[in-house]
Amino acid sequence: RIGEEDWEALRELRLRALEDAPYAFASTLERERDFVEDRWRTRAGRGWIGDNGATFFAEHEARTVGLASAFPDEDRPAVHLVAMWVDPSGRRLGAGTALIEAVVEWARDRGADEVALWVTETNRAAIALYERTGFEPTGERQPLPSDPALMERQMRRRL
């Protein structure tokens, strides 16, 4: 789990993610490139959304290769997994699974009974990872906010 002092690494990794996989996120590189330091510090210290979240890094051979963030649902005992990305150099090394399990452990510690996420329907590798780690489709779909021509599906893992 990262803290506010990790803001520069978070910024660098997030911008790489948006450049590498723009089809996978609700935001865009153009939007986040201009975020000020305080915004990155807040994201690193308190998570992506609200004040009660958490962000995790995956490392391989002393290099940060992935990130995932989570925040609690305000209305039910659930946690949302967001902003997940693994650098191509970290794929197929267990980084994605490690990030998911860090979020799941964090969710359990907060008494959540599920972890939910949205994934772009064309992102087959991410869907396969989520299925391997216990996520199932809920049947809900929505347009991707950053590109409404793409659809995303909701998945969840019961805890």
Side-chain angles (χ1 to χ4, degrees), residues 7 16 36 49 54-55 63 72 82 107 114 126 134 136:
W7 74 272
R16 280 188 6 228
V36 296
I49 297 173
T55 298
R63 183 167 180 258
V82 296
E114 75 176 33
E136 298 176 340

Side-chain angles (χ1 to χ4, degrees), residues 79-145:
V79 162
H80 298 274
L81 170 61
V82 296
M84 171 121 173
W85 179 76
V86 176
D87 185 270
S89 69
R91 293 177 189 161
R92 296 185 184 16
L93 299 173
T97 299
L99 287 166
I100 289 167
E101 293 309 320
V103 168
V104 165
E105 181 179 330
W106 185 82
R108 281 190 177 122
D109 288 348
R110 274 138 198 80
D113 59 16
E114 75 176 33
V115 175
L117 60 86
W118 290 93
V119 59
T120 308
E121 291 182 341
T122 57
N123 194 344
R124 302 279 181 233
I127 292 169
L129 170 64
Y130 296 137
E131 288 174 343
R132 280 194 312 274
T133 56
F135 285 84
E136 298 176 340
T138 66
E140 292 197 43
R141 298 173 70 230
Q142 68 181 18
L144 180 67

Side-chain angles (χ1 to χ4, degrees), residues 9-118:
L10 174 62
R11 178 184 63 195
E12 189 263 330
L13 199 62
R14 174 65 174 178
L15 296 180
R16 280 188 6 228
L18 290 166
E19 185 174 20
D20 175 64
Y23 56 84
F25 302 103
S27 189
T28 65
L29 177 63
E30 293 74 27
R31 178 176 175 262
E32 294 193 22
R33 185 182 294 143
D34 295 330
F35 284 176
V36 296
E37 179 180 327
D38 284 348
R39 182 117 184 223
W40 291 111
R41 284 184 177 278
T42 299
R43 279 187 169 184
R46 294 183 281 184
W48 228 249
I49 297 173
D51 292 335
N52 301 327
T55 298
F56 301 89
F57 282 168
E59 295 180 344
H60 178 70
E61 297 179 349
R63 183 167 180 258
T64 304
V65 296
L67 75 118
S69 196
F71 65 93
D73 191 293
E74 294 179 4
D75 300 323
R76 57 194 177 92
V79 162
H80 298 274
L81 170 61
V82 296
M84 171 121 173
W85 179 76
V86 176
D87 185 270
S89 69
R91 293 177 189 161
R92 296 185 184 16
L93 299 173
T97 299
L99 287 166
I100 289 167
E101 293 309 320
V103 168
V104 165
E105 181 179 330
W106 185 82
R108 281 190 177 122
D109 288 348
R110 274 138 198 80
D113 59 16
E114 75 176 33
V115 175
L117 60 86
W118 290 93

